[in-house]
Amino acid sequence: MANVLHKTSIDKTRREAGNCLAGIESEIYRHLNFTLGHDDSDVEPCYLYRALAIAVRDRLVAQWKVTRDRIASSGQKRVSYLSLEFLIGRSLTNAVLNLNLEDSVRAALNKYNSSLEESAELEHDAGLGNGGLGRLAACFLDSCANLQLPVVGYGIRYEYGMFHQHIEDGRQVEDPDHWLRDGNPWELERPEDTRRIHFYGHTEYFVDDTGKTCVHWAETDDVLAVPHDMPIPGHSNGTVNTLRLWRSSATDEFNLDEFNAGGYSEAVAEKNLAEQISMVLYPNDSSENGKELRLKQQYFLVSASLQDVIEEWISIHGEDFDEFASHNCFQLNDTHPACAVPELMRLLMDEHGLEWDDAWRITRQCMAYTNHTLLPEALERWPVSLFSRLLPRLMEIIYEIDRQFRTQLAELWPDDAAIRERMSLVEGGHHPHVRMAYLAIVGSFSVNGVAGLHTELLQSGLFADFYKLWPSKFNNKTNGVTQRRWLSHCNPGLRDLINEAIGSEWQSDLPKISRLASYAEDAAFRDRWHAVKQENKGALIRHVLEHTGVRFAEDALLDVQVKRIHEYKRQLLNVLHVIHLYDRICRGDVEGMVPRCVLIGGKAAPGYHVAKLIIKLINDVSAVVNTEAKTDGLLKLVFLPNYCVSAMEKICPATELSEQISTAGKEASGTGNMKFMMNGALTIGTLDGANIEIRDQVGEENFFLFGMTAGEIAETRQTYDPNSLIAEDEEILRVMNLLESGHFNASEPGIFDILTAGLRSAEDQWLTIADLRSYIDAQRDVNKSYQDPNNWNRMSIMNTAASGWFSSDRTIQQYAEEIWNVKSVN
Ligand code: 26Q
């Protein structure tokens, strides 16, 4: 007991040291002068940022080691979160606030005539993800550190993250994101933990001294995985967890033979090949693209991470794996790391001598799989031919898992050969494929969806056969987002107002934010709430003006849709509504119309032509709408280029209306919807993904619902006739006529024909026209509610007050209790 007290008091002293003003100021000075070699007299902002970042990092490093030791000595079960994406964004403000350093940092920067905001803006986003799935992984790490859970994130240190987007002539142009070019103060390279990864080659069978048949994966091309660790601080709790990102590097011996043969260039070229693996993040988030390099990335991450965990296990327990599964859990972020199933089998059998049955029992006890999509085109399938060539030993293991699984199915349903084909891990035919989702399901003890409806649809549709076989494997974990980044840090004005009203406990216990509900009836509080929103709008309006040249009005309803551009997310539906408003304005039908500014942002996958055309349409409609004199003071539309984490930090505090308008049954969860709600935006949305739960929490009177349910969508598909719907609705007909007459693309006739033909097609997957009337009507309700600021502000407060359920702390607590079976270490 005395020991424990002693340790706690050290931690407390450390935490307090984090708040010492003279400390941080002198450390910035020291790093400026000695670490960076700059004169203190005339400091450039970028050096000030770096000196500050290193000073803050030093504090993290001290707590980091304490956290590691504490976890090691606890002997607790550990979780590895395996993900090809971690969309971290910036780290400076996050670290400063979590360390309670805000006041001292501000004071120190003040002496250099600078500010925390100025420094923060100089940091490049760590854009190591596409969108929802990657940002979810980042929110989860934040919550794990906040809850002091022993969870390590494992990912890839891409040299180039998500591309930057700019617009030329209305079209998306991609620029490389060389985010590491100025160095990265938020990582520590750990060459001592380098791992070796095998590719290609073939397998050889031999009998060892004990008479056991063993497998050797021979003549491989090897690559090294070098870890770079990023600190993940908890919220003022002394915990700093780890995100371990792997960089690929050539092996040392790669060039010897070639050098000796005089093949210098060949040797260097080979080095490039090895280093390609961690070079770039694949920028598609909704369809697999079948590239060999992508499969290499997946295996690279998985093998390095599993070896890491096993090495650490052996350093403590030796080669005894009996307790391995009760001390380790691997959470697979979608199927991207699903190779972990056969790779853990391989490591346990080929490298550590376990028998198949023992290895299989362990594997199935420690793998858990999260599904993030219902779109069939996004389900990963890899050609057996590619798999066998790149990872021959893994392919053999998959075939054996499949053989045993089929045997089990044959015993259960001897007369049903069809179900064996349907459920097999290897899809037959002339070009057989590995079904990664089925591999993940068969190899895991838990399969979860990311929102209530999504999990139900997985169980009744995509994975129905597996649900019938193993109902208890399936569970739901509705997504959440971290209120630290998505309210406290990005919206300090609202944070302070909330703290004043109800205290600050909500920052690590979001359900407490429900105490705000009673303030919705307080007129003075509503005015202050409104004032904060107006101030945030002002800041965003300046940002939009600077980046697009379009000036939004302060008194206009700020209506926002930011997310990846995809047909199922229906940015087109939003544009059709804008065209409808434009048409009404041109006709003079403006009675009661509140001024509205519509902002759309998001990236299109570079190979997704229709998504790119939607961006072009938004820009072309915007050019016409914003220059028409009649719309002045009533309507504006802009496409804000390069939507990313740090852009969302400016956008969500200012947003009044959040557009969550996907075709029901298509958006697994959505997480932007939660960020907007937390910041007091009202949602106009379909009954899709987590929108359903948002509406349940906030009440139907505080949510603008429209559109068909997932069930109605499925039914309507059979008889869908968009042309009749258009012909029978005069307002919709006018919108289509404007679009089809070339009104928005006079200089490039016909460019949007693909889009209009899609809208009119009975085969339209997204049923945009089917929901348009209902959407226009719901937007009329929005308009009406906005006319009365008292009413609107009341609803806005109620949205923030009802957002408690959508903290990723809640989500992670559920993962910890219901899947991982881990407890906090403190
Ligand atoms: C797959 C193979 C090859 C290359 C890329 C990919 C790939 C990469 C990323 C496929 C999908 C993704 C990302 C998917 C994603 O972000 N899904 C979103 O996940 C969120 C978090 O659960 C949900 O809220 C969203 O509804 C879901 O669309």
Side-chain angles (χ1 to χ4, degrees):
M1 195 58 191
N3 220 345
V4 175
L5 279 175
H6 175 63
K7 200 160 164 279
T8 315
S9 73
I10 291 179
D11 288 348
K12 187 158 175 287
T13 319
R14 282 216 170 87
R15 284 204 293 277
E16 282 164 359
N19 230 341
C20 163
L21 182 131
I24 204 79
E25 195 185 322
S26 73
E27 286 154 36
I28 293 172
Y29 174 87
R30 185 163 57 80
H31 288 303
L32 260 179
N33 285 272
F34 301 107
T35 311
L36 303 175
H38 276 271
D39 192 338
D40 189 42
S41 56
D42 185 20
V43 187
E44 282 184 48
C46 67
Y47 295 116
L48 194 53
Y49 158 71
R50 281 171 66 183
L52 169 61
I54 299 169
V56 171
R57 183 190 64 193
D58 289 348
R59 309 286 177 112
L60 292 174
V61 169
Q63 298 188 352
W64 208 352
K65 193 177 152 18
V66 175
T67 305
R68 268 199 308 270
D69 292 348
R70 211 190 279 144
I71 292 172
S73 62
S74 77
Q76 251 247 53
K77 184 176 190 177
R78 294 179 30 178
V79 177
S80 303
Y81 195 85
L82 304 185
S83 178
L84 270 284
E85 306 192 7
F86 286 92
L87 192 41
I88 300 285
R90 291 170 173 155
S91 292
L92 177 65
T93 311
N94 188 250
V96 166
L97 295 180
N98 280 332
L99 288 172
N100 265 323
L101 284 171
E102 184 172 1
D103 293 345
S104 48
V105 164
R106 285 191 186 282
L109 292 177
N110 205 15
K111 301 208 170 154
Y112 291 94
N113 285 325
S114 185
S115 66
L116 181 53
E117 287 70 26
E118 184 180 24
S119 274
E121 278 296 317
L122 292 169
E123 181 174 352
H124 300 291
D125 274 37
L128 309 184
N130 274 282
L133 167 149
R135 182 56 229 177
L136 186 75
C139 283
F140 278 5
L141 293 185
D142 181 90
S143 286
C144 289
N146 183 54
L147 296 169
Q148 304 189 293
L149 294 171
V151 177
V152 174
Y154 279 107
I156 294 180
R157 180 183 178 273
Y158 301 107
E159 192 83 26
Y160 291 85
M162 187 61 201
F163 66 82
H164 289 229
Q165 174 196 59
H166 77 266
I167 301 297
E168 271 177 33
D169 194 23
R171 294 177 197 272
Q172 166 174 302
V173 179
E174 299 94 22
D175 307 304
D177 164 44
H178 198 197
W179 69 294
L180 292 166
R181 68 178 172 273
D182 302 323
N184 176 12
W186 306 109
E187 66 181 10
L188 281 186
E189 185 174 350
R190 299 249 181 232
E192 67 276 19
D193 289 343
T194 296
R195 313 285 167 202
R196 177 179 282 262
I197 316 297
H198 305 310
F199 292 103
Y200 305 108
H202 60 268
T203 55
E204 291 170 356
Y205 287 73
F206 64 97
V207 178
D208 73 4
D209 306 342
T210 68
K212 187 181 161 206
T213 302
C214 305
V215 184
H216 174 53
W217 184 359
E219 292 190 69
T220 52
D221 276 3
D222 291 356
V223 171
L224 298 180
V226 184
H228 294 247
D229 289 352
M230 289 184 71
I232 308 292
H235 181 67
S236 309
N237 62 5
T239 290
V240 175
N241 278 350
T242 302
L243 169 58
R244 174 157 281 198
L245 299 176
W246 299 101
R247 174 176 60 84
S248 63
S249 164
T251 54
D252 289 338
E253 75 266 24
F254 84 100
N255 46 16
L256 273 185
D257 292 349
E258 293 280 8
F259 271 146
N260 295 341
Y264 171 79
S265 316
E266 289 75 6
V268 174
E270 203 169 304
K271 186 170 159 64
N272 273 331
L273 234 52
E275 288 171 5
Q276 259 178 33
I277 293 177
S278 59
M279 193 58 71
V280 61
L281 166 78
Y282 276 98
N284 43 321
D285 76 332
S286 53
S287 71
E288 46 113 8
N289 64 358
K291 291 279 193 321
E292 178 165 338
L293 182 58
R294 168 75 181 185
L295 185 57
K296 273 192 186 170
Q297 290 182 336
Q298 297 184 350
Y299 179 66
F300 171 79
L301 163 69
V302 158
S303 182
S305 310
L306 292 179
Q307 288 185 53
D308 209 51
V309 172
I310 289 177
E311 276 309 304
E312 177 156 347
W313 176 262
I314 289 173
S315 73
I316 300 163
H317 302 87
E319 294 274 339
D320 180 356
F321 287 91
D322 285 353
E323 298 291 311
F324 183 81
S326 58
H327 283 76
N328 283 285
C329 181
F330 300 95
Q331 189 71 42
L332 310 181
N333 200 18
D334 216 297
T335 53
H336 315 155
C339 282
V341 171
E343 176 64 0
L344 184 57
M345 291 294 290
R346 184 188 75 80
L347 290 168
L348 292 176
M349 295 188 302
D350 301 357
E351 309 280 330
H352 300 285
L354 271 70
E355 298 292 341
W356 177 280
D357 288 347
D358 293 328
W360 186 233
R361 187 176 38 77
I362 291 172
T363 300
R364 295 185 81 181
Q365 279 173 13
C366 56
M367 295 289 164
Y369 156 54
T370 305
N371 172 282
H372 295 266
T373 184
L374 290 155
L375 300 182
E377 64 268 33
L379 290 181
E380 281 195 287
R381 296 157 67 248
W382 290 101
V384 168
S385 54
L386 165 59
F387 219 111
S388 312
R389 192 163 51 78
L390 186 67
L391 305 167
R393 180 57 181 141
L394 265 68
M395 193 62 234
E396 287 179 355
I397 292 171
I398 291 171
Y399 268 130
E400 179 57 18
I401 297 172
D402 192 42
R403 193 190 63 76
Q404 296 191 7
F405 179 52
R406 282 165 168 268
T407 306
Q408 186 186 347
L409 292 177
E411 281 163 12
L412 275 170
W413 297 297
D415 303 325
D416 197 343
I419 205 166
R420 289 197 284 283
E421 288 316 311
R422 279 209 310 272
M423 297 178 78
S424 171
L425 307 194
V426 184
E427 184 182 333
H430 287 304
H431 299 286
H433 283 75
V434 183
R435 293 163 165 156
M436 301 303 273
Y438 294 2
L439 174 63
I441 297 173
V442 172
S444 299
F445 68 90
S446 164
V447 177
N448 76 281
V450 291
L453 173 68
H454 173 230
T455 301
E456 278 170 26
L457 292 173
L458 286 180
Q459 292 172 173
S460 63
L462 206 52
F463 300 150
D465 290 331
F466 289 92
Y467 181 60
K468 191 166 82 179
L469 180 61
W470 295 312
S472 62
K473 251 194 212 196
F474 286 75
N475 63 95
N476 176 248
K477 294 288 168 283
T478 297
N479 284 166
V481 302
T482 167
Q483 71 270 30
R484 267 86 54 194
R485 182 176 294 258
W486 296 114
L487 180 48
S488 293
H489 305 178
C490 73
N491 196 346
L494 202 63
R495 172 195 66 198
D496 293 346
L497 179 59
I498 296 171
N499 285 350
E500 196 187 310
I502 63 167
S504 63
E505 288 158 65
W506 59 273
Q507 301 195 36
S508 47
D509 186 7
L510 197 59
K512 294 223 163 86
I513 207 160
S514 67
R515 294 172 180 168
L516 266 182
S518 56
Y519 290 81
E521 301 310 320
D522 175 339
F525 187 82
R526 281 200 303 267
D527 287 347
R528 293 181 67 193
W529 187 267
H530 182 69
V532 171
K533 184 61 88 177
Q534 284 303 118
E535 188 162 329
N536 294 337
K537 278 169 73 179
L540 183 63
I541 288 168
R542 288 190 291 281
H543 181 83
V544 168
L545 179 63
E546 186 185 330
H547 289 88
T548 68
V550 178
R551 186 185 295 276
F552 275 178
E554 305 253 344
D555 65 341
L557 167 65
L558 190 51
D559 173 349
V560 177
Q561 185 177 23
V562 286
K563 49 184 79 240
R564 290 299 287 258
I565 309 295
H566 198 292
E567 290 160 278
Y568 85 77
K569 296 180 187 278
R570 297 200 296 196
Q571 282 90 359
L572 263 183
L573 185 59
N574 193 346
V575 175
L576 293 177
H577 173 248
V578 172
I579 296 174
H580 163 67
L581 290 181
Y582 166 79
D583 178 49
R584 277 182 56 193
I585 293 168
C586 291
R587 292 190 334 247
D589 172 18
V590 295
E591 172 84 31
M593 189 184 279
V594 300
R596 186 190 289 247
C597 294
V598 180
L599 184 146
I600 303 179
K603 291 172 184 176
Y608 187 175
H609 298 296
V610 173
K612 290 181 134 177
L613 198 55
I614 292 171
I615 293 178
K616 171 69 171 158
L617 176 68
I618 297 165
N619 280 306
D620 285 5
V621 170
S622 146
V624 171
V625 166
N626 298 346
T627 52
E628 164 60 55
K630 288 187 189 146
T631 66
D632 213 30
L634 276 180
L635 181 64
K636 287 263 186 299
L637 168 65
V638 301
F639 183 86
L640 184 67
N642 203 37
Y643 174 62
C644 57
V645 172
S646 54
M648 185 56 158
E649 290 171 10
K650 298 186 178 73
I651 295 167
C652 71
T655 296
E656 294 176 296
L657 183 66
S658 155
E659 300 271 351
Q660 308 299 338
I661 61 180
S662 52
T663 311
K666 295 292 175 187
E667 187 72 272
S669 161
T671 44
N673 47 4
M674 302 169 186
K675 296 164 198 167
F676 285 121
M677 179 200 204
M678 254 179 212
N679 285 277
L682 276 59
T683 304
I684 181 164
T686 48
L687 286 177
D688 199 14
N691 296 351
I692 296 173
E693 287 147 87
I694 287 179
R695 181 164 165 272
D696 287 346
Q697 293 288 325
V698 76
E700 59 179 19
E701 69 282 11
N702 296 312
F703 186 104
F704 299 100
L705 178 69
F706 76 96
M708 290 191 281
T709 63
E712 289 164 352
I713 290 274
E715 201 160 296
T716 303
R717 272 187 216 295
Q718 317 300 320
T719 57
Y720 185 43
D721 181 7
N723 289 312
S724 308
L725 295 176
I726 293 167
E728 287 157 13
D729 189 318
E730 152 129 41
E731 287 184 323
I732 294 181
L733 182 61
R734 294 181 62 91
V735 168
M736 289 304 287
N737 285 343
L738 270 174
L739 250 181
E740 289 168 336
S741 69
H743 187 75
F744 304 105
N745 51 305
S747 60
E748 293 174 272
I751 55 169
F752 299 127
D753 289 359
I754 305 168
L755 300 181
T756 51
L759 292 170
R760 286 184 174 278
S761 164
E763 308 298 310
D764 178 22
Q765 287 289 301
W766 324 109
L767 284 88
T768 304
I769 295 297
D771 278 347
L772 181 54
R773 171 43 53 196
S774 163
Y775 181 57
I776 291 173
D777 292 345
Q779 289 284 18
R780 277 199 185 259
D781 292 345
V782 169
N783 183 90
K784 193 151 175 284
S785 297
Y786 198 74
Q787 286 169 342
D788 174 5
N790 265 323
N791 175 35
W792 187 272
N793 291 324
R794 185 180 296 115
M795 291 163 83
S796 168
I797 295 168
M798 291 309 285
N799 268 270
T800 302
S803 67
W805 176 251
F806 302 103
S807 168
S808 45
D809 297 348
R810 184 270 309 155
T811 312
I812 283 298
Q813 194 67 53
Q814 291 183 320
Y815 275 87
E817 286 169 11
E818 298 163 20
I819 301 179
W820 302 337
N821 190 25
V822 292
K823 296 201 166 38
S824 69
V825 177
N826 52 17

